[in-house]
Amino acid sequence: MRRVLVTGGGTGIGRAVAHAFCDAGDAVTIAGRRLAALDNAARDRDITRRVADVTDEAEVEALFDSPYDIVIANAGRGAPGKLAKTSLDNWNATLAVNLTGTFLTFRAALSGMGAGGRLIAIASTAALKGNASVPAYTAAKHGVLGLVRSVALDVAKDGITCNAICPGFTDTDLAGTAISGLMKRFGVDRERATGMVVSGNPQGRLVDPAEVAATAVFLASRRAAAINGHALSVSGGEI
C-alpha cells in the first residue's frame, strides 16, 4: 500500500485529491492548519490528519517522521489586487504559502523517498501565463513551476518524478471568492460574475476538483513513469 501526503488537504482540490487516492486503496495523510477542516475532509474515510503550516520549516519536517511514496504539495492562497495595490505583507504571505511551502514540502519528502516516488505540485494556469489581477499569486506559481522543472532533473536518476498540475478556475472556495469579488466590484449577480470568471475557459465552466484529482492519480501511476518535469494544464483549453 502506497503512503500519500496531501498538503492543504482539508478543502477544495486537496480534499478531492485525498479522497481519490483513498478510494484507490492508498494510505492517505492530509495536512493543514485547521483541524476542523481536516476532520470534515476525513469523514467516512480512513484518512490520517496532521495539523501543520507549510510555511513553518519545523512543522513541515515533522510531517515526514515516516517517508511517503507520493507527496502532493497543494497548499496555496491567492488574493486579488494589481501590483500598485499589493502590499509587501500580502506579497510575502502569498509567496510563503505557494512557493516556500512547496519547497519545504518537497525538500522534506526527498529525505526518505525511494525509487518510484512521486512529487506533484498543484500549480495553476497562472504558472503558465501572466495575470494582471493577481501578480503575487502568478509570480509564486511561476516559481513553483521553475522549482518542479529543476527538481525533476535532479531526481530523475533516482527513479522519482516531479510534475505540476495547472488547473484553471476550479469550483472551490478560491473561485467563490473571485466570483463574490466581481459581484461587489461590478454590481452584477452571481451568474454574470461566474461567467466572467470562466470566460477564459473555452468550455465555459469551472473545472471540477475531481478532474484535478484524477490527473494526480494518473501522474502517480506506473504508466506515468516517463512523465517528468511536466506542467499538465487542466483548464478546458485555456492553456
Side-chain angles (χ1 to χ4, degrees):
M1 181 181 295
R2 302 180 302 180
R3 299 189 71 242
V4 181
L5 174 69
V6 184
T7 66
T11 59
I13 290 174
R15 174 177 175 153
V17 169
H19 286 184
F21 278 100
C22 184
D23 293 345
D26 296 306
V28 177
T29 296
I30 53 177
R33 294 180 299 172
R34 296 176 293 128
L35 181 58
L38 298 175
D39 286 342
N40 186 56
R43 187 175 301 164
D44 301 323
R45 282 180 168 85
D46 185 15
I47 294 177
T48 301
R49 286 89 75 200
R50 300 282 296 271
V51 175
D53 182 343
V54 297
T55 69
D56 186 297
E57 183 177 18
E59 291 186 15
V60 173
E61 293 287 343
L63 289 174
F64 293 88
D65 45 6
S66 295
Y68 292 92
D69 304 292
I70 301 162
V71 173
I72 296 95
N74 167 74
R77 58 157 283 179
K82 293 188 177 182
L83 186 63
K85 295 185 177 180
T86 299
S87 69
L88 181 59
D89 285 344
N90 180 46
W91 173 269
N92 286 336
T94 302
L95 265 66
V97 175
N98 293 285
L99 181 53
T100 302
T102 300
F103 153 68
L104 290 174
T105 300
F106 281 178
R107 188 184 67 176
L110 287 175
S111 65
M113 183 173 283
R118 299 286 188 267
L119 300 173
I120 301 171
I122 304 300
S124 166
T125 52
L128 302 171
K129 65 176 185 177
N131 189 325
S133 298
V134 283
Y137 182 77
T138 301
K141 291 302 188 182
H142 270 67
V144 168
L145 186 50
L147 176 65
V148 163
R149 288 169 169 163
S150 298
V151 172
L153 294 173
D154 183 38
V155 301
K157 63 183 181 300
D158 301 317
I160 299 170
T161 66
C162 183
N163 292 289
I165 300 173
C166 299
F169 268 109
T170 305
D171 192 6
T172 65
D173 290 344
L174 188 62
T177 298
I179 291 167
S180 297
L182 290 173
M183 292 172 64
K184 181 178 180 180
R185 180 181 177 187
F186 295 105
V188 297
D189 61 20
R190 181 164 294 277
E191 182 178 359
R192 173 59 178 156
T194 302
M196 294 167 71
V197 165
V198 303
S199 62
N201 183 333
Q203 295 180 339
R205 67 179 178 89
L206 293 169
V207 176
D208 189 327
E211 295 174 300
V212 183
T215 305
V217 171
F218 166 68
L219 287 176
S221 70
R222 292 180 180 177
R223 293 182 178 180
I227 301 175
N228 190 33
H230 184 59
L232 182 48
S233 174
V234 182
S235 63
E238 176 187 348
I239 299 292

